[in-house]
């Protein structure tokens, strides 16, 4: 009886030992399998990443092709042919020509061959061409050639190929000038009142403000307020038609007591508000001389009685002629700003729907001001 019990206990311990042995073996196998699976996965991931990088590199190469200038052709002038005088100069063996049409290119080439030159650059869409001459010339000699080119019936204009010397810091944008006008707030961020000046890098241009020549700028708009603190010394005279318009609205033309500023005043300030006066803002052009024409509420649009205006707010074609002639001929303005649609929405819409009257009005306008 005792022997049987002992045998039974021995078999039970042996069974327990085998159970633990198999459990340990199972844990070991599971551990080794986990390590093996991890190594295999890592290898596959590495290869996958390499494949992705290779594909990505191929895609980038495909997505960023070589720059294509299309029909544009540019000839780089040789450094020894650039004549500089105080940061400004010209290329002494080149001329620039604009034709009435790219169809006249063959005629230009025939002429250029007679003086030993050739067309080496072109912008067909605007009929602009770069001419290389066989020899170098003085500016006076080039000016004579320019006049001869201008005399050709198919040449619209011709000029020297001007050259400009830029400082390295100006190119990189590290050189800038910031005016002290009080409403210009933050020049470091992308917001604020002066975001538009930063967008066009006006501070980079203002570095050269002392080299900028005076420019006469004409503004055709609604009623002006020429007494504004930022404009009173910029306007060269009372804008044409403005005094009558002010009187019609009961405004004093002699006293600076008008609180309403208006669109024309805003436009004028954007162009030429006084620079560095610690007031308001400054205009884009630091040396602009402003002349204006008010055609919104003045006798200008009443000059031709009985003719229906083609513009939506009372202005008409003859009024525009007066404004243009006054600013360009009388005041010699090199730049004109017109904050106005050439035609009312109704005229443009009707023309798009093949309305004969609207189309004739637009064609007439194009003939008059081409």
């Amino acid at each position: 009886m005792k022997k049987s019990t002992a045998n039974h206990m021995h078999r039970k311990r042996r069974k327990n030992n085998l159970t633990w042995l198999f459990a340990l073996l199972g844990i070991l196998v599971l551990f080794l399998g986990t390590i093996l699976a991890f190594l295999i996965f890592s290898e596959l991931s590495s290869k996958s990443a390499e494949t992705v990088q290779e594909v990505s590199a191929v895609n980038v190469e495909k997505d960023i092709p070589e720059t294509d200038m299309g029909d544009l052709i540019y000839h780089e002038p040789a450094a020894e042919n650039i004549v500089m005088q105080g940061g400004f100069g010209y290329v002494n063996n080149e001329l620039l020509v604009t034709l009435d049409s790219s169809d006249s290119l063959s005629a230009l080439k025939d002429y250029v061959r007679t003086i030993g030159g050739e067309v080496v650059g072109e912008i067909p869409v605007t009929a602009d061409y770069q001419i290389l001459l066989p020899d170098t010339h003085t500016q006076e000699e080039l000016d004579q050639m320019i006049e001869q080119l201008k005399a050709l019936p198919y040449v619209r204009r011709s000029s020297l190929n001007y050259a400009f010397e830029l400082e390295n810091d100006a190119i990189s944008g590290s050189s800038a000038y910031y005016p002290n006008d009080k409403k210009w707030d933050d020049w470091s961020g992308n917001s604020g009142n002066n975001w538009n000046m930063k967008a066009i890098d006006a501070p980079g241009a203002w570095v050269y403000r002392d080299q900028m020549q005076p420019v006469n700028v004409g503004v055709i708009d609604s009623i002006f307020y020429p007494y504004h603190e930022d404009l009173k010394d910029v306007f060269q005279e009372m804008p044409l038609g403005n005094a009558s318009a002010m009187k019609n609205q009961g405004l004093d033309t002699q006293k600076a007591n008008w609180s309403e500023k208006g669109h024309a005043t805003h436009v004028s300030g954007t162009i030429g508000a006084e620079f560095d006066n610690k007031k308001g803002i400054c205009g884009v052009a630091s040396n602009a001389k402003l002349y204006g024409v008010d055609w919104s509420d003045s006798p200008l649009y009443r000059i031709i009685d009985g003719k229906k205006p083609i513009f939506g707010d009372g202005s008409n074609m003859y009024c525009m002629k007066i404004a243009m002639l006054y600013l360009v001929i009388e005041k010699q303005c090199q730049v004109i700003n017109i904050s106005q649609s050439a035609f009312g929405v109704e005229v443009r819409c009707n023309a798009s729907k093949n309305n004969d009257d609207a189309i004739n009005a637009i064609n007439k306008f194009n003939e008059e001001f081409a």
Side-chain angles (χ1 to χ4, degrees):
M1 183 72 177
K2 291 182 179 178
K3 184 178 181 180
S4 177
T5 302
N7 290 337
H8 175 73
M9 294 297 294
H10 177 72
R11 287 196 298 270
K12 186 175 182 180
R13 282 196 298 269
R14 186 178 178 184
K15 183 178 181 181
N16 289 339
N17 290 337
L18 289 174
T19 301
W20 278 108
L21 180 61
F22 284 122
L24 289 173
L25 288 173
I27 293 172
L28 180 62
V29 170
L30 179 62
F31 178 75
L32 292 174
T34 302
I35 293 176
L36 181 62
F38 177 79
L39 292 174
I40 294 173
F41 178 79
S42 299
E43 182 66 16
L44 291 175
S45 298
S46 176
K47 290 182 177 180
S48 177
E50 292 174 1
T51 303
V52 170
Q53 290 178 355
E54 291 174 1
V55 172
S56 177
V58 172
N59 286 341
V60 169
E61 188 174 341
K62 288 182 179 178
D63 292 342
I64 307 177
E66 291 294 325
T67 300
D68 181 12
M69 293 184 66
D71 294 333
L72 306 178
I73 300 175
Y74 170 70
H75 171 75
E76 181 71 29
E80 61 268 21
N81 294 119
I82 301 177
V83 181
M84 301 301 298
Q85 299 171 344
F88 185 79
Y90 64 96
V91 182
N92 63 12
N93 65 339
E94 290 187 12
L95 294 174
L96 302 182
V97 176
T98 302
L99 304 181
D100 57 0
S101 166
S102 58
D103 295 336
S104 301
L105 176 57
S106 59
L108 175 66
K109 288 182 176 180
D110 290 341
Y111 175 81
V112 170
R113 277 193 289 267
T114 65
I115 58 176
E118 61 176 322
V119 175
V120 293
E122 57 182 282
I123 309 175
V125 67
T126 56
D128 283 291
Y129 300 95
Q130 182 182 11
I131 297 174
L132 179 66
L133 301 171
D135 301 307
T136 61
H137 299 272
T138 64
Q139 183 172 347
E140 290 73 19
E141 291 172 340
L142 293 174
D143 285 338
Q144 292 178 1
M145 296 182 186
I146 288 171
E147 293 304 315
Q148 293 170 359
L149 281 165
K150 288 181 178 179
L152 299 175
Y154 48 84
V155 173
R156 295 182 61 184
R157 52 184 169 269
S158 180
S159 72
L160 299 170
N161 189 3
Y162 291 105
F164 305 89
E165 188 175 71
L166 298 177
E167 299 175 6
N168 290 333
D169 56 356
I171 296 173
S172 66
S174 61
S175 178
Y177 181 83
Y178 304 107
N180 64 18
D181 300 82
K182 66 180 183 180
K183 288 191 177 179
W184 287 149
D185 42 24
D186 179 18
W187 288 102
S188 60
N190 294 319
S191 59
N193 293 326
N194 49 344
W195 67 268
N196 51 343
M197 292 298 185
K198 288 179 287 187
I200 63 172
D201 191 25
W206 289 336
V207 173
Y208 305 98
R209 65 197 179 283
D210 294 334
Q211 302 174 34
M212 295 179 183
Q213 298 299 311
V215 56
N216 290 358
V217 180
V219 180
I220 302 175
D221 211 300
S222 55
I223 191 169
F224 295 79
Y225 179 52
Y227 306 117
H228 191 284
E229 63 178 5
D230 248 357
L231 292 172
K232 56 186 177 63
D233 295 324
V234 180
F235 271 108
Q236 305 304 297
E237 62 181 22
M238 176 68 75
L240 180 65
N242 200 63
S244 297
M246 292 177 75
K247 288 179 180 179
N248 290 343
Q249 296 190 23
L251 302 172
D252 194 331
T253 60
Q254 300 300 319
K255 298 178 181 179
N257 63 352
W258 182 24
S259 61
E260 177 63 36
K261 303 303 184 288
H263 184 266
T265 309
H266 177 90
V267 170
S268 301
T270 301
I271 296 169
E274 287 192 47
F275 207 91
D276 277 340
N277 63 352
K278 297 183 179 181
K279 299 177 181 179
I281 63 169
C282 71
V284 177
S286 61
N287 205 357
K289 299 182 180 299
L290 295 183
Y291 295 88
V293 174
D294 173 11
W295 62 356
S296 65
D297 189 23
S298 70
L300 282 180
Y301 69 85
R302 294 192 289 272
I303 288 178
I304 49 174
D305 295 328
K307 290 191 177 182
K308 182 180 179 181
I310 64 171
F311 299 98
D313 63 352
S315 306
N316 55 56
M317 189 179 293
Y318 194 65
C319 171
M320 178 178 279
K321 280 190 173 182
I322 292 175
M324 287 291 188
L325 290 172
Y326 176 77
L327 294 174
V328 176
I329 305 300
E330 297 294 329
K331 302 304 175 184
Q332 299 183 1
C333 292
Q334 296 100 320
V335 180
I336 304 292
N337 182 91
I338 307 177
S339 298
Q340 173 112 7
S341 170
F343 297 92
V345 174
E346 183 179 355
V347 174
R348 297 197 303 272
C349 180
N350 289 339
S352 69
K353 296 179 179 179
N354 295 321
N355 180 278
D356 290 337
D357 291 337
I359 292 173
N360 290 335
I362 293 176
N363 289 340
K364 180 65 175 177
F365 175 86
N366 290 334
E367 291 174 5
E368 293 287 342
F369 294 99

